[in-house]
Amino acid sequence: MLGDRGSVRISKNLYAPTGEAQLIFPDMPLDGDSAYGQWEPFQPITISMRRWREGSASLEDFYVVFRGFLRSVGRNESIDGQGKPQRFVTVVAHDAGCLFLVERLHPWITFQNRGIPTKDGASTFLNEYLVGTELVSKAHPAGDFLWEVATITTDSMMTAAGYEFQKKFFVKRGTIIPATALSQEGPVWSLLDRYADRPWNEFFVREGEDNPELVFRPAPWFDMDGNPLPDFDDDVNADLRFFEIPMSNVVALNAHRDDAEMVNHVWVVPPQGAAIGYASSVANGMGVVNAETRAKYGDRIQIEETHLLPSQLSVMNNREAEQNEAQEGVKGWAEERQKWLIQAGEQTHNFERGSLTVKGYASYRVGDYFRLKRSAKSESLWWSAYVTQVVHDFQPFNRFLCTLHYIRSDQWVRRKNVQGAYWVERQRGIDVA
């Protein structure tokens, strides 16, 4: 169907609400109509891939690399320079994360509860579930609240497509008081992203074997010494994939470091009510990191806002004693968030980021780690990085490539510890996959 001039390009970014697939193929007769006439917006679409070589067993099974909704279909017709007609169909689809952009929150409708066509809508959900009930002032575990918002507001569309979100939630700390969400306006994604509490946590959609997976987990990062950051526990580790890539598979490698990654002071904007106590902690020097870099690089301040509250907080009320206790709890929570940033930011300017283009493998996905076997003769230059974006690029009879965009690579540090690294990294051996 793709022909020799068609192509498939699939892109998924860990920090974007939705992934995208683009298919280009020649228009052709199909069931009494053209191929263009068989597609319609918002119909479900699934794309599976695998690498295969002529005359040998498949190197991998089929993997679902995309599952979502067709968003647009177009047909382009033209005459080329030799007078031959050209007809191509272009299909653009988004994964299930697009539903969080389609469904929107409208505070005016939420409070007035008028003019809403369906009770499954996001605004009606907030109104019926929160407004006027005891739930509005109770602290909910962050995972419970985000799961209910994400699934209830998209249930009708997911059901119509034959999909069902699979829950992959690993965040065990942090609560939300729904009253703070009632003024949220815009796509449902804006509410989910706000209370996912980045950069401490991650919230994204990825493809499972049978259905889309909704992932909410602590950021699975390591510091410069290889120690996991707080909340990166065994459950999170089990959710990750660590895959090795031989240098023989690499088509292109682009790595860089710059002073934009430098930080020597971190500041957490805490939830309302804890600012004064937290400010006194910061004034005592708690937020300093990479102190020796101040003279050379100047003040490099990282400011992050936390929207979650400590897990021990149960209800919002006006009793002075409980208010004071809650304020101390939130202050401690902000200080913990600050310590996380300090550990994450330690020598962060020595981490590399960049992109790696390799032979296409459908199993590569965002939110995993790869280890590049840079020198086949020595492991001293093998380095690791965290994948934040994956792009699959396929054209029949031409190419199947995969580009991995990454952060927090330890390549530069490893090179500094190897004498003659320039020559060592060029040592080749038999290592083909």
Side-chain angles (χ1 to χ4, degrees), residues 254-430:
N254 298 288
H256 68 274
R257 295 171 293 114
D258 55 53
D259 69 307
E261 296 294 305
M262 168 59 65
V263 57
N264 48 40
H265 193 280
V266 296
W267 178 277
V268 175
V269 180
Q272 188 175 5
I276 297 177
Y278 172 71
S280 65
S281 299
V282 174
N284 293 329
M286 285 183 58
V288 176
V289 59
N290 303 313
E292 73 284 356
T293 65
R294 168 64 183 80
K296 179 178 180 180
Y297 293 96
D299 287 323
R300 300 298 181 97
I301 302 174
Q302 179 184 6
I303 301 175
E304 300 289 352
E305 185 173 4
T306 178
H307 299 282
L308 298 184
L309 295 166
S311 299
Q312 63 268 27
L313 193 66
S314 60
V315 68
M316 182 172 61
N317 56 53
N318 295 319
R319 297 171 187 165
E320 183 176 355
E322 294 185 7
Q323 285 283 352
N324 291 337
E325 182 181 353
Q327 183 176 3
E328 283 300 309
V330 176
K331 171 177 170 288
W333 173 261
E335 291 174 352
E336 288 182 18
R337 290 310 212 197
Q338 182 188 54
K339 292 176 182 177
W340 188 98
L341 291 174
I342 290 174
Q343 185 177 350
E346 188 73 37
Q347 301 183 56
T348 188
H349 53 291
N350 290 331
F351 281 119
E352 286 183 340
R353 50 196 170 100
S355 64
L356 179 71
T357 301
V358 297
K359 293 195 302 186
Y361 281 90
S363 55
Y364 295 156
R365 63 182 191 179
V366 298
D368 287 335
Y369 279 89
F370 71 81
R371 189 185 191 199
L372 182 64
K373 300 163 69 173
R374 181 69 200 237
S375 172
K377 301 229 179 243
S378 172
E379 295 187 17
S380 56
L381 285 178
W382 293 9
W383 54 271
S384 302
Y386 186 58
V387 180
T388 59
Q389 183 179 4
V390 174
V391 179
H392 296 286
D393 183 13
F394 173 72
Q395 184 177 23
F397 312 110
N398 189 323
R399 65 182 181 273
F400 179 23
L401 299 175
C402 184
T403 300
L404 310 174
H405 296 261
Y406 63 85
I407 60 174
R408 302 185 73 84
S409 159
D410 61 353
Q411 177 182 206
W412 184 75
V413 174
R414 286 184 169 274
R415 286 175 56 84
K416 285 182 66 68
N417 295 326
V418 175
Q419 186 175 6
Y422 179 85
W423 303 108
V424 175
E425 68 184 2
R426 282 159 176 74
Q427 294 177 356
R428 302 300 298 271
I430 300 176

Side-chain angles (χ1 to χ4, degrees), residues 62-90:
F62 274 108
Y63 280 89
V64 176
V65 295
F66 184 87
R67 182 187 286 109
F69 299 83
L70 190 151
R71 301 303 303 277
S72 106
V73 54
R75 180 169 64 167
N76 304 305
E77 301 179 83
S78 63
I79 302 296
D80 66 13
Q82 297 180 343
K84 297 178 180 179
Q86 305 288 322
R87 300 182 183 90
F88 284 94
V89 176
T90 301

Side-chain angles (χ1 to χ4, degrees), residues 74-311:
R75 180 169 64 167
N76 304 305
E77 301 179 83
S78 63
I79 302 296
D80 66 13
Q82 297 180 343
K84 297 178 180 179
Q86 305 288 322
R87 300 182 183 90
F88 284 94
V89 176
T90 301
V91 171
V92 176
H94 291 160
D95 68 21
C98 73
L99 302 185
F100 303 135
L101 299 176
V102 171
E103 193 69 28
R104 300 181 63 84
L105 300 166
H106 303 278
W108 177 254
I109 297 177
T110 299
F111 288 117
Q112 298 299 320
N113 199 20
R114 297 174 183 169
I116 303 172
T118 170
K119 69 178 182 178
D120 293 325
S123 296
T124 309
F125 161 71
L126 286 178
N127 187 80
E128 293 184 352
Y129 181 64
L130 302 176
V131 177
T133 74
E134 64 175 8
L135 297 175
V136 74
S137 61
K138 292 187 64 175
H140 297 249
D144 292 350
F145 181 80
L146 294 181
W147 176 254
E148 291 180 350
V149 171
T151 56
I152 293 177
T153 59
T154 60
D155 179 69
S156 63
M157 293 178 285
M158 290 288 286
T159 301
Y163 299 151
E164 181 181 6
F165 277 125
Q166 301 300 300
K167 189 176 185 179
K168 298 289 183 178
F169 278 32
F170 304 97
V171 173
K172 300 170 183 176
R173 299 195 308 135
T175 59
I176 299 170
I177 294 179
T180 62
L182 291 180
S183 61
Q184 191 80 30
E185 182 172 5
V188 168
W189 173 255
S190 63
L191 186 149
L192 296 172
D193 187 52
R194 177 184 178 88
Y195 291 103
D197 225 28
R198 303 175 190 267
W200 301 277
N201 300 322
E202 298 174 338
F203 188 92
F204 62 100
V205 175
R206 73 180 178 204
E207 305 311 335
E209 184 175 347
D210 301 312
N211 274 290
E213 295 178 346
L214 197 56
V215 182
F216 181 41
R217 68 186 186 190
W221 294 356
F222 297 93
D223 64 19
M224 185 57 73
D225 296 322
N227 302 310
L229 268 59
D231 298 327
F232 181 1
D233 57 19
D234 292 340
D235 291 337
V236 177
N237 188 70
D239 186 58
L240 293 171
R241 291 178 184 168
F242 298 82
F243 48 90
E244 293 189 344
I245 301 177
M247 195 62 191
S248 56
N249 282 7
V250 175
V251 177
L253 171 60
N254 298 288
H256 68 274
R257 295 171 293 114
D258 55 53
D259 69 307
E261 296 294 305
M262 168 59 65
V263 57
N264 48 40
H265 193 280
V266 296
W267 178 277
V268 175
V269 180
Q272 188 175 5
I276 297 177
Y278 172 71
S280 65
S281 299
V282 174
N284 293 329
M286 285 183 58
V288 176
V289 59
N290 303 313
E292 73 284 356
T293 65
R294 168 64 183 80
K296 179 178 180 180
Y297 293 96
D299 287 323
R300 300 298 181 97
I301 302 174
Q302 179 184 6
I303 301 175
E304 300 289 352
E305 185 173 4
T306 178
H307 299 282
L308 298 184
L309 295 166
S311 299

Side-chain angles (χ1 to χ4, degrees), residues 38-45 68-71 161 163:
Q38 302 298 315
W39 299 79
E40 62 181 63
F42 233 64
Q43 74 179 67
I45 177 174
F69 299 83
L70 190 151
R71 301 303 303 277
Y163 299 151

